[in-house]
Amino acid sequence: MPDTVTLSRKQRDQELRRQDFLSAAERLFARNGYHHTTMEDIAHEAQYGTGTIYLYFKTKDLLYEALLERKIAEYIAFMQKRVRHADGHLEKIRTLISAKLEFFERHREFFRIYLAEMTTADTSLRRCVNKRREKMYYEHQSFVTQTLSEAMRAGAIRKVDPNMLATTLTGVINPLLSEWIKERSKKSICELEQFIMDLLFNGLEKTK
Amino acid sequence: MPDTVTLSRKQRDQELRRQDFLSAAERLFARNGYHHTTMEDIAHEAQYGTGTIYLYFKTKDLLYEALLERKIAEYIAFMQKRVRHADGHLEKIRTLISAKLEFFERHREFFRIYLAEMTTADTSLRRCVNKRREKMYYEHQSFVTQTLSEAMRAGAIRKVDPNMLATTLTGVINPLLSEWIKERSKKSICELEQFIMDLLFNGLEKTK
Amino acid sequence: MPDTVTLSRKQRDQELRRQDFLSAAERLFARNGYHHTTMEDIAHEAQYGTGTIYLYFKTKDLLYEALLERKIAEYIAFMQKRVRHADGHLEKIRTLISAKLEFFERHREFFRIYLAEMTTADTSLRRCVNKRREKMYYEHQSFVTQTLSEAMRAGAIRKVDPNMLATTLTGVINPLLSEWIKERSKKSICELEQFIMDLLFNGLEKTK
Amino acid sequence: MPDTVTLSRKQRDQELRRQDFLSAAERLFARNGYHHTTMEDIAHEAQYGTGTIYLYFKTKDLLYEALLERKIAEYIAFMQKRVRHADGHLEKIRTLISAKLEFFERHREFFRIYLAEMTTADTSLRRCVNKRREKMYYEHQSFVTQTLSEAMRAGAIRKVDPNMLATTLTGVINPLLSEWIKERSKKSICELEQFIMDLLFNGLEKTK
DNA sequence: TATGAATGAGTGTTCATTCAT
DNA sequence: GATGAATGAACACTCATTCAT
């Protein structure tokens, strides 16, 4: 049996196990928060022994990092694929909104973690290991900015600061989604999308 | 010396001490996060001995609660006062935005805590004691909603769902402010306000 | 005003205050146990400020000592007075029993502390300061022994080891009294006395 | 290797460890009292790290409970076995006394704890978890009562209240044993037994 | 490789005692 | 003398991490 195959099989198994742990951690973090979830909890949730988890993640912080990275990567991939397949500038912009709504509707457990992370949370957690995630975030942000810039250049929307617009577009969804997830809003996800699109394009001005 | 004066002096001193601890906690929580800040840290930061803090706050959780309450109350009072003094519906709406920006610009340390709290963070922390804070939040939210509704009724802005608009208006500021605080944005607070107002009123549509 | 009067007034006041604290401590120790009663509790129960108690008792342990001493002295005085007033040897022995029953019936709260102390409990508490109490205990014990010895010499009871008999007589009451205090026994105190006297004098043997 | 064996080996090891901790606790509680013994002390006395003890006992209180239960169960088993093997009613009664003396002579360290527990001690400690121990105590007490009742029915001893007699018989030993353990009594255990038996059967009356 | 028992540093909290007023 | 706010040592308990099997 060739060595490469053996190795890659091993690697594939390793990767599978990593994913098991990450999924378990995602469930527990979302349910109980980072600090109220113990490594033992995660290991057992993933159906492994306490010590095993340390074969795949050197520390709890690193596991957390890996979890964020995985989900954010997944999110970005999902979003970009959708936008690329959308036809026309306006449609792409609409997709920037609807794809985010759709993704987090499906991963609402993760949304809690995501928000905490995007905004604040435990700073010290973030200090050391976040370079890679920051990079991912910026790449995504610049993808959104670019999409918007192109729409401006094409005359599909009027010209404003594209960076600020990207930030706004990304962020305006959070509070609505947050309310929706807490089930205080009875609207459908589709209505959320329409509300945002309407407001974004038409603004509040009366005389129109 | 009359008894009432003596008593109220004691109470005033007590209150001052409470505020000392809360301010110390605010600094440390914002810097290191809730879980990485120890009661001893807080007590020492406030220039007191370890045990003293427990004369003013029964548990760490309750101190955290008290801190949130204090700042949120302060925020709400600030905001509502500003809005009430604003002349005209449009001006009131502008004030909803500028007052928030101004408040958090001045209390940026707290903004981290605020965001974590508003969005997610440790669920278990929040479960028990938050009724009062939820009430504060809702009262504020309905104040915003009312302000917007009145503007609609008066024909100052066009009619949309006032609850969703209130949520949006409140939330749209966060990501911009967040970026600004992280000092990634070189704009002035004033420019942020203008950007939001422009976008909010005029929308993205070209033909205008 | 002569100095001695002033002084003795002071001293009388001091003593009164000491007794206040001891009475408060007695109530609380009996109710909650030594370790679950704080010095502050005692001071407040006695209607004084936290620090005041330390003007009268240097440490918590010493207060505990003083409490035991006071009550035991009271007990011994009560007992000996009763026995001295009893006529005849048998009546004196009966009084050794009835007086103990009577005293602890009236001071049942203290009985808990007494038992704990007489038997064991926190050894370390006892190590240093107990000489005086030990002396009191032995003086009492030898009073009982003497009473019994005299009865033997007079032929009122048969001759056995008077020390062991004294120990037995003193101790045999405790478990019955204990059950009685826990209200598991429905008998009257008088029945307890009769039971003990009967058993003590007549023994268990059938042929009598 | 069969699974059952593996499992029971693990369980046996667990049980051994539990016993290690209980024995360490027994030594330290008897020496220093409950409140002056720390969990760390116990763990170290048992040659384990601080945290390990919590794998076997959830709280300090529960460890204390377990200790009492173990020793009392041991005591009761010892006593009942002895009594059952004794021939004749009088011999059984003698055994009720001698077995207790013998047991506590061998476990004098525990005697302190036993006495404190039987009589009073920290009430609050006892309030919650003691149902099981109370049950054990009552079962034992009714065993003694039954033994005595049978002896009465058979005419081996005269008729008195069997419950009070059981209480007395159980309790009368304590003060003598207590003195003996404190080494104030120079008698042998055997002499203690004879003294009690003699007093119990023949009483104090002269005319015999 | 997988395990889980063992570890011990770390933290929230209590309380006897002190001392400035 | 009386006070009670302040103190900090002490302790029960947790949990990320290690390591012998």
Side-chain angles (χ1 to χ4, degrees):
Chain A
M1 209 195 299
D3 221 52
T4 50
V5 171
T6 307
L7 254 182
S8 77
R9 231 249 270 174
K10 236 192 224 170
Q11 286 178 330
R12 230 187 308 128
D13 280 5
Q14 276 242 350
E15 191 47 33
L16 283 176
R17 213 119 316 146
R18 269 178 70 89
Q19 296 305 323
D20 286 346
F21 286 118
L22 289 179
S23 301
E26 186 180 343
R27 283 190 294 277
L28 296 183
F29 283 160
R31 198 182 308 147
N32 309 318
Y34 179 80
H35 277 285
H36 289 81
T37 303
T38 70
M39 288 298 265
E40 200 175 340
D41 289 346
I42 299 171
H44 289 356
E45 171 87 12
Q47 316 261 29
Y48 285 95
T50 316
T52 311
I53 202 169
Y54 285 90
L55 298 176
Y56 298 90
F57 303 93
K58 249 182 141 52
T59 72
K60 192 186 182 188
D61 272 20
L62 288 174
L63 178 146
Y64 181 71
E65 287 300 317
L67 170 58
L68 282 175
E69 251 173 54
R70 178 178 86 161
K71 293 298 287 190
I72 291 175
E74 201 182 319
Y75 167 54
I76 290 176
F78 175 83
M79 163 75 81
Q80 299 196 353
K81 187 177 165 198
R82 276 297 190 83
V83 171
R84 275 199 197 92
H85 284 63
D87 265 350
H89 293 294
L90 290 185
E91 197 51 31
K92 278 181 197 291
I93 292 177
R94 173 188 306 281
T95 307
L96 283 174
I97 293 164
S98 62
K100 180 168 183 177
L101 284 168
E102 196 182 325
F103 183 84
F104 284 118
E105 184 194 4
R106 267 196 259 150
H107 300 82
R108 47 183 101 182
E109 294 212 326
F110 177 65
F111 186 64
R112 306 201 100 130
I113 303 175
Y114 168 79
L115 277 188
E117 185 57 23
M118 279 306 98
T119 53
T120 160
D122 264 304
T123 328
S124 61
L125 265 185
R126 313 225 316 260
R127 221 161 279 164
C128 344
V129 215
N130 294 17
K131 290 301 155 203
R132 241 162 85 193
R133 219 166 56 252
E134 291 230 320
K135 217 182 117 211
M136 290 169 66
Y137 176 72
Y138 278 122
E139 277 171 18
H140 176 61
Q141 196 66 3
S142 72
F143 169 80
V144 175
T145 306
Q146 223 178 325
T147 306
L148 294 168
S149 291
E150 279 164 21
M152 288 180 203
R153 244 177 287 126
I157 58 176
R158 88 183 152 92
K159 291 195 169 150
V160 297
D161 180 316
N163 279 302
M164 290 175 89
L165 184 57
T167 301
T168 305
L169 197 55
T170 300
V172 75
I173 297 169
N174 292 348
L176 287 166
L177 198 51
S178 182
E179 288 291 301
W180 183 82
I181 282 177
K182 288 175 194 159
E183 298 192 337
R184 287 172 189 151
S185 167
K186 303 286 155 58
K187 316 279 177 182
S188 71
I189 276 289
C190 182
E191 283 172 300
L192 289 190
E193 183 196 327
Q194 278 168 17
F195 177 84
I196 295 171
M197 283 298 288
D198 172 47
L199 189 64
L200 194 64
F201 277 84
N202 301 321
L204 281 174
E205 208 151 16
K206 189 68 182 297
T207 49
K208 258 206 288 191
Chain B
M1 207 192 299
D3 220 53
T4 50
V5 170
T6 308
L7 253 183
S8 77
R9 231 252 269 175
K10 203 195 268 182
Q11 286 177 332
R12 227 184 313 127
D13 279 5
Q14 277 242 349
E15 192 47 34
L16 283 177
R17 209 115 325 134
R18 266 180 70 91
Q19 297 304 326
D20 285 348
F21 286 118
L22 289 179
S23 301
E26 185 178 342
R27 284 190 294 278
L28 296 184
F29 283 160
R31 197 183 309 147
N32 308 319
Y34 178 82
H35 279 286
H36 288 83
T37 303
T38 70
M39 289 298 265
E40 202 175 340
D41 289 346
I42 299 170
H44 289 357
E45 171 85 13
Q47 314 262 30
Y48 286 95
T50 317
T52 311
I53 201 169
Y54 286 92
L55 298 177
Y56 298 90
F57 303 93
K58 249 178 139 52
T59 70
K60 193 185 181 189
D61 271 22
L62 288 175
L63 178 144
Y64 181 70
E65 288 299 318
L67 172 57
L68 283 176
E69 250 174 55
R70 178 177 86 162
K71 295 298 287 190
I72 291 175
E74 202 182 319
Y75 166 53
I76 289 176
F78 175 83
M79 163 74 82
Q80 300 196 353
K81 189 178 164 197
R82 278 298 189 83
V83 171
R84 276 199 194 94
H85 284 62
D87 264 349
H89 292 294
L90 291 185
E91 197 50 31
K92 277 180 197 292
I93 293 176
R94 173 188 307 283
T95 308
L96 284 173
I97 293 164
S98 62
K100 180 167 183 178
L101 284 168
E102 196 182 325
F103 184 85
F104 284 119
E105 184 196 1
R106 269 198 256 148
H107 300 82
R108 44 184 103 183
E109 294 212 325
F110 177 65
F111 187 65
R112 306 202 101 128
I113 303 175
Y114 169 79
L115 278 186
E117 183 56 22
M118 280 305 99
T119 52
T120 160
D122 261 305
T123 328
S124 60
L125 260 187
R126 313 226 318 263
R127 223 160 278 165
C128 340
V129 212
N130 295 19
K131 290 298 154 206
R132 239 161 87 193
R133 223 166 51 253
E134 290 232 319
K135 215 182 121 214
M136 290 169 65
Y137 175 72
Y138 278 121
E139 277 170 18
H140 177 60
Q141 195 66 5
S142 73
F143 169 80
V144 175
T145 305
Q146 223 178 325
T147 306
L148 294 168
S149 292
E150 280 163 20
M152 287 179 204
R153 245 177 287 125
I157 57 175
R158 87 183 153 93
K159 291 196 168 147
V160 296
D161 180 315
N163 279 301
M164 289 175 89
L165 184 58
T167 300
T168 305
L169 195 55
T170 299
V172 74
I173 298 169
N174 293 348
L176 286 165
L177 197 52
S178 180
E179 287 290 302
W180 183 82
I181 282 176
K182 287 176 194 159
E183 299 191 336
R184 288 172 187 149
S185 168
K186 302 288 154 56
K187 314 280 177 181
S188 69
I189 276 290
C190 183
E191 282 172 302
L192 289 189
E193 183 196 327
Q194 279 168 17
F195 177 83
I196 294 171
M197 283 298 288
D198 172 46
L199 188 64
L200 193 64
F201 278 84
N202 301 320
L204 282 175
E205 211 153 13
K206 190 65 182 296
T207 47
K208 259 211 282 192
Chain C
M1 207 192 297
D3 219 51
T4 51
V5 171
T6 308
L7 254 184
S8 77
R9 229 247 273 171
K10 235 192 225 171
Q11 285 177 331
R12 229 185 310 128
D13 280 6
Q14 276 243 350
E15 190 48 32
L16 283 176
R17 213 121 314 145
R18 269 178 69 89
Q19 296 304 325
D20 286 347
F21 286 119
L22 289 180
S23 301
E26 186 179 341
R27 284 191 293 278
L28 296 184
F29 284 160
R31 198 182 309 146
N32 309 318
Y34 179 82
H35 277 285
H36 289 82
T37 303
T38 70
M39 288 298 265
E40 200 176 341
D41 290 345
I42 299 170
H44 289 357
E45 171 86 13
Q47 316 261 29
Y48 285 96
T50 317
T52 311
I53 201 169
Y54 284 89
L55 298 176
Y56 297 90
F57 303 93
K58 249 183 142 51
T59 72
K60 192 186 183 189
D61 272 19
L62 288 174
L63 178 146
Y64 181 72
E65 287 301 317
L67 171 58
L68 282 175
E69 250 173 55
R70 178 177 87 161
K71 293 297 287 188
I72 291 175
E74 201 182 321
Y75 167 54
I76 289 177
F78 175 82
M79 164 76 81
Q80 299 195 353
K81 187 177 165 196
R82 277 298 189 83
V83 171
R84 273 196 200 96
H85 284 60
D87 263 350
H89 292 294
L90 291 185
E91 197 50 33
K92 277 178 197 294
I93 293 176
R94 174 187 307 282
T95 308
L96 284 173
I97 293 164
S98 62
K100 180 167 182 178
L101 285 168
E102 196 182 325
F103 184 84
F104 283 120
E105 184 194 2
R106 266 196 258 148
H107 300 82
R108 48 184 100 183
E109 293 211 326
F110 177 64
F111 187 63
R112 306 201 100 129
I113 303 176
Y114 168 79
L115 277 187
E117 183 56 23
M118 280 307 98
T119 53
T120 159
D122 263 305
T123 327
S124 61
L125 264 185
R126 312 226 318 261
R127 222 162 280 165
C128 344
V129 215
N130 294 17
K131 290 301 154 204
R132 241 162 86 194
R133 221 166 54 252
E134 291 230 320
K135 215 181 118 212
M136 291 169 66
Y137 176 73
Y138 278 121
E139 277 170 18
H140 177 61
Q141 196 66 4
S142 71
F143 169 79
V144 175
T145 305
Q146 222 177 326
T147 307
L148 293 168
S149 292
E150 279 163 21
M152 286 179 204
R153 246 179 285 127
I157 57 174
R158 87 183 155 93
K159 290 191 170 154
V160 296
D161 181 315
N163 279 300
M164 290 174 88
L165 183 58
T167 302
T168 307
L169 197 55
T170 300
V172 73
I173 297 169
N174 293 349
L176 286 165
L177 197 52
S178 181
E179 287 291 301
W180 183 81
I181 283 175
K182 288 174 193 160
E183 299 191 337
R184 286 172 190 150
S185 168
K186 303 285 155 59
K187 314 282 176 181
S188 69
I189 276 290
C190 181
E191 282 171 301
L192 289 189
E193 183 196 325
Q194 278 167 18
F195 177 83
I196 294 172
M197 284 298 287
D198 173 47
L199 190 63
L200 195 63
F201 277 84
N202 301 320
L204 283 175
E205 210 151 15
K206 189 68 179 299
T207 48
K208 259 204 285 191
Chain D
M1 209 193 299
D3 220 51
T4 50
V5 172
T6 309
L7 253 182
S8 75
R9 231 252 269 177
K10 203 194 268 182
Q11 286 177 331
R12 228 184 311 127
D13 279 5
Q14 278 242 349
E15 192 46 33
L16 282 177
R17 210 117 322 138
R18 265 180 71 90
Q19 297 304 326
D20 286 347
F21 285 118
L22 288 180
S23 301
E26 187 179 341
R27 283 191 295 278
L28 297 183
F29 283 161
R31 197 182 309 147
N32 310 318
Y34 179 81
H35 278 286
H36 288 84
T37 303
T38 70
M39 289 298 265
E40 201 174 341
D41 289 344
I42 299 171
H44 289 358
E45 170 85 12
Q47 315 262 31
Y48 285 95
T50 317
T52 312
I53 201 169
Y54 287 93
L55 298 178
Y56 298 89
F57 303 94
K58 251 178 139 50
T59 70
K60 193 186 180 187
D61 271 20
L62 288 174
L63 178 143
Y64 180 70
E65 289 299 318
L67 172 58
L68 281 175
E69 250 174 53
R70 177 179 86 161
K71 295 297 287 190
I72 291 175
E74 203 181 317
Y75 168 53
I76 289 177
F78 176 81
M79 163 75 82
Q80 299 195 354
K81 188 177 163 197
R82 276 300 188 83
V83 171
R84 274 198 197 95
H85 284 61
D87 264 350
H89 292 294
L90 292 185
E91 198 48 34
K92 275 177 198 295
I93 293 176
R94 174 189 305 282
T95 308
L96 284 173
I97 294 164
S98 62
K100 181 166 182 179
L101 284 169
E102 196 183 324
F103 184 84
F104 284 119
E105 183 195 2
R106 268 197 257 148
H107 299 83
R108 43 184 106 184
E109 295 213 323
F110 177 64
F111 186 64
R112 306 201 100 126
I113 304 175
Y114 168 79
L115 278 187
E117 184 57 23
M118 278 308 99
T119 52
T120 159
D122 261 304
T123 327
S124 60
L125 262 186
R126 312 229 316 265
R127 223 160 277 165
C128 341
V129 213
N130 295 18
K131 291 298 153 207
R132 240 162 85 192
R133 222 167 52 252
E134 291 230 319
K135 217 181 119 213
M136 289 169 66
Y137 175 73
Y138 278 122
E139 277 170 19
H140 177 61
Q141 194 66 4
S142 72
F143 169 79
V144 175
T145 306
Q146 222 178 327
T147 306
L148 293 169
S149 292
E150 279 163 20
M152 287 178 204
R153 245 179 286 127
I157 57 175
R158 89 183 152 92
K159 290 195 168 149
V160 297
D161 181 314
N163 279 301
M164 289 174 89
L165 184 58
T167 302
T168 306
L169 196 54
T170 300
V172 74
I173 297 169
N174 293 348
L176 287 166
L177 197 51
S178 182
E179 288 291 301
W180 183 81
I181 281 176
K182 287 174 194 160
E183 298 191 338
R184 288 173 189 149
S185 168
K186 302 287 154 57
K187 314 282 176 181
S188 69
I189 277 290
C190 183
E191 282 171 301
L192 289 189
E193 183 197 327
Q194 277 167 18
F195 177 84
I196 295 171
M197 283 297 288
D198 173 46
L199 190 64
L200 194 64
F201 276 85
N202 301 320
L204 282 176
E205 210 152 14
K206 189 69 180 295
T207 47
K208 257 207 285 188

